[in-house]
Amino acid sequence: EAQVTQNPRYLITVTGKKLTVTCSQNMNHEYMSWYRQDPGLGLRQIYYSMNVEVTDKGDVPEGYKVSRKEKRNFPLILESPSPNQTSLYFCASSIGLAGADTQYFGPGTRLTVL
Amino acid sequence: RKEVEQDPGPFNVPEGATVAFNCTYSNSASQSFFWYRQDCRKEPKLLMSVYSSGNEDGRFTAQLNRASQYISLLIRDSKLSDSATYLCVVNPVKAAGNKLTFGGGTRVLVKP
């Protein structure tokens, strides 16, 4: 089954404790991205990647890191999480450029930073 | 002004009725437009792309008005299962054109 998976689905952590949210897709998609969704603000892009070893900032990259060492994986790293990073996070992939192709979203990761 | 704006609703719709709502965008050079559906805190899923000539998919009709810079979604014969948040998505064609901008969503509640 074609899908985007994320882990963990739920995470409660404390300020400053480094964490990684994994994202993997099995559709051989070139483009992957991370979004956060907050009430009243909608989905905002954090980082995106057009291919292996190619990443770029989205609208709200501060406090996050990403890497794209393999085509299928695009982990999101929070080196020192803070409470304002409490949010619902979605990973997404698409076969080509985001503007022209359907985005396939993972199931989401609900992160709480205390 | 936000790049993509939507009425958050909720739109309370009797089952079987028609509901329509718009989404406005600020960048006149935008090229691609989409409607996504999101069920309560689940992942968004593509509902339909929006083409210049307008397009229909079953009970759903999407229109694009470039002159006034808005897109619309109309749902006919509403079903209870249509209850969801509908996200307007626009490609503002910045730089490499690889970024989508999402509206805040319009919540639709279909009631018996």
Side-chain angles (χ1 to χ4, degrees), chain A residues 44-82:
Chain A
R44 294 177 293 167
Q45 191 179 57
I46 302 170
Y47 268 96
Y48 66 92
S49 169
M50 288 192 284
N51 212 325
V52 175
E53 303 293 0
V54 180
T55 63
D56 208 347
K57 296 177 181 178
D59 293 318
V60 288
E62 293 77 23
Y64 304 95
K65 285 174 58 177
V66 293
S67 67
R68 188 92 181 271
K69 295 186 176 128
E70 304 166 283
K71 196 172 186 179
R72 64 182 292 129
N73 296 323
F74 190 44
L76 179 70
I77 304 155
L78 284 73
E79 294 272 3
S80 182
S82 61

Side-chain angles (χ1 to χ4, degrees), chain A residues 4-13 19-24 34-38 43 46 64 74-76 78 85-92 105-113, chain B residues 38 41-44:
Chain A
V4 179
T5 56
Q6 293 178 228
N7 282 291
R9 294 288 314 280
Y10 303 91
L11 178 61
I12 300 174
T13 189
L19 66 92
T20 298
V21 184
T22 64
C23 172
S24 183
W34 276 102
Y35 296 88
R36 61 177 289 174
Q37 187 173 34
D38 302 288
L43 276 153
I46 302 170
Y64 304 95
F74 190 44
L76 179 70
L78 284 73
Q85 292 178 298
T86 293
S87 187
L88 178 58
Y89 291 86
F90 290 104
C91 179
F105 286 85
T109 295
R110 188 173 293 279
L111 172 65
T112 301
V113 183
Chain B
Q38 185 176 27
R41 303 310 264 176
K42 293 194 174 178
E43 73 270 26

